[in-house]
Structures are given as C-alpha cells and as structure tokens.
Amino acid sequence: MTRNEIISVLGPVDEAVIADIALTGASLEELREAFAWIGADEALVNEGHAMPGARVAKLIEILEPPEDEPETPGAME
C-alpha cells in the first residue's frame, strides 16, 4: 500500500502512522475495513459483519487514539 493510498482513506496523517500502516502488509481494502470499524463498530456487528481479522485488528490498534485522547485517528496537528 502506498502513502497516497493511505492518505486517500484517512486524509492527512502523521508520517509515523503511515509507516506503521505500511509495515503491517495490509491491503487498501483492509485499511478501509479498519477505518469503517473505528467509526461504526456497533453498527457493523449489528449488521452481522464478521469480526476483524488479524491485520485489520492491527490497523485498528494503530488508528484508534488512546482513550484519553479523543482526536481523529492519526491526525496531524
């Protein structure tokens, strides 16, 4: 996955986040799925979507802000 592909899904993000995402080996579709889970996990479960796989779960971990920081995932200042 390229830097531009990552930005096309997430918008402007920190270079460290881009590097962490690229290192997962995830596909663009997996990144889109992770981003969807972050925004609507309850809705996806209620709709019967399968729980995220290992790479998607890793992406979610990278993208979710710590609980004490309610900011946009990986947003640049």
Side-chain angles (χ1 to χ4, degrees), residues 12-53:
V13 291
D14 186 85
E15 292 298 321
V17 172
I18 292 171
D20 288 346
I21 290 169
L23 288 173
T24 66
S27 69
L28 185 57
E29 276 305 309
E30 288 170 320
L31 179 59
R32 287 182 179 137
E33 181 181 346
F35 194 64
W37 274 104
I38 289 170
D41 59 346
E42 273 188 49
L44 291 172
V45 169
N46 291 340
E47 290 176 5
H49 287 268
M51 295 303 289

